Amino acid sequence: MKDNKKADYGNWVPTKLLALLSVLSIGAAAMLIVSVCCHWSLIWTALFGALFCVALFFYCYMAAFHHAFSFGGGGMMGTVLQYVVAHLPWDGQGRLLDVGCGAGALTIRCAKAFPQAHCTGIDYWGVKWDYSQKMCQRNAEAEGVASRCEFQQGDANHLDFADETFDAVVSNFVYHEVNDGKSKEELLRETLRVLKKGGSFALQDMFGQKSIYGDFQAIVDRLANDVVAEIHYVDSTKDIPVPAWMQVPGMLTGVGIIYGRK
């Protein structure tokens, strides 16, 4: 049964970042006004003016991202998550793992899509993000799937599960954020380690960004050779309507999904 409270999945763009950019914009504007009123040198006025323009631009840009990915705003995150679920070739029988579950949005969506499944979400929940284990649990209760969902702290580099524990694994926009420990290929192998033989997977990230993954097709080929029985690699942006203004270096470029069976 659903809880009366509404689920809160937060946002891919942390409110802490928006707050920081807001403070920088206001601070730069204040210094610009002081510089003009006190007749400081042109260099200082130009410096504070430039800082204000840059800070305001990034605030507006990230605020637009925040709205687009908000579940109550543009709803793009819902579209992205559904894309992952739609590419998971699974009958929903057994256990599913969501690596890097954040606020539990993908874990819970899987639980609702596969009513016979038991879903586990793991995350590091670092201070950088506005997510937490309690937030995930509250969301599962609000969505009426708490009895089939569990959340625990974990490290994607070293998953605290035995080999072949799960019948399905999913992940969305996580691996590029994991910067310590294993290489990106080893990170993917660690996720697939806990997947049963014949189990299904759907993992989405910025696989096409060479600065992060190098030659990702070569990684796919190696996984196909010695880890999985079936794997497909698709450019997600061909199917997900990502606006051109979002596809800039360091943001939503090179987004792809790998899916198949082990």
Side-chain angles (χ1 to χ4, degrees):
M1 180 177 291
K2 287 188 178 183
D3 191 283
N4 290 328
K5 294 181 179 179
K6 188 177 180 180
D8 174 17
Y9 294 112
N11 198 285
W12 178 63
V13 179
T15 55
K16 296 174 184 177
L17 175 60
L18 291 179
L20 175 61
L21 291 173
S22 177
V23 169
L24 287 175
S25 298
I26 294 172
M31 293 306 297
L32 176 60
I33 293 172
V34 170
S35 177
V36 172
C37 292
C38 295
H39 304 290
W40 289 358
S41 70
L42 184 60
I43 294 177
W44 283 110
T45 301
L47 178 63
F48 289 126
L51 180 60
F52 168 69
C53 290
V54 171
L56 182 62
F57 169 80
F58 277 106
Y59 172 79
C60 293
Y61 186 75
M62 296 311 297
F65 253 98
H66 188 277
H67 175 76
F69 277 88
S70 171
F71 283 88
M76 180 168 285
M77 184 53 78
T79 300
V80 170
L81 295 180
Q82 188 56 41
Y83 188 75
V84 176
V85 176
H87 281 79
L88 182 64
W90 188 41
D91 61 6
Q93 301 297 315
R95 299 181 63 189
L96 174 143
L97 175 67
D98 177 12
V99 179
C101 62
L106 179 56
T107 314
I108 292 168
R109 187 168 289 252
C110 287
K112 295 176 77 171
F114 304 107
Q116 301 301 314
H118 182 89
C119 301
T120 299
I122 69 104
D123 203 291
Y124 187 71
W125 290 303
V127 296
K128 178 180 178 181
W129 304 103
D130 300 325
Y131 308 136
S132 69
Q133 184 177 10
K134 289 184 178 180
M135 188 178 190
C136 292
Q137 293 168 340
R138 288 196 300 267
N139 288 336
E141 291 170 0
E143 296 283 11
V145 294
S147 63
R148 294 188 294 108
C149 290
E150 63 177 311
F151 303 93
Q152 61 189 69
Q153 189 168 33
D155 181 358
N157 281 306
H158 306 283
L159 295 173
D160 191 22
F161 303 104
D163 294 355
E164 301 187 25
T165 297
F166 296 93
D167 301 279
V169 291
V170 295
S171 185
N172 183 62
F173 287 0
V174 172
Y175 298 117
H176 69 279
E177 294 285 353
V178 183
N179 298 316
D180 55 347
K182 301 178 183 293
S183 69
K184 297 305 181 190
E185 180 174 348
E186 290 175 313
L187 194 56
L188 290 170
R189 287 174 178 268
E190 175 64 5
T191 292
L192 295 170
R193 176 186 66 79
V194 302
L195 180 63
K196 294 179 181 179
K197 290 290 186 182
S200 306
F201 62 92
L203 313 173
Q204 183 164 246
D205 199 29
M206 300 172 186
F207 295 134
Q209 289 195 16
K210 293 186 180 297
S211 61
I212 300 175
Y213 287 95
D215 183 357
F216 189 69
Q217 184 59 55
I219 294 177
V220 171
D221 292 341
R222 287 192 291 270
L223 293 176
N225 183 58
D226 62 3
V227 178
V228 299
E230 174 190 349
I231 186 170
H232 307 275
Y233 174 35
V234 176
D235 179 355
S236 303
T237 57
K238 291 181 179 179
D239 301 313
I240 300 175
V242 180
W245 63 269
M246 289 186 176
Q247 298 185 50
V248 298
M251 300 302 289
L252 291 182
T253 58
V255 180
I257 187 169
I258 54 173
Y259 64 96
R261 299 181 188 277
K262 184 173 178 181

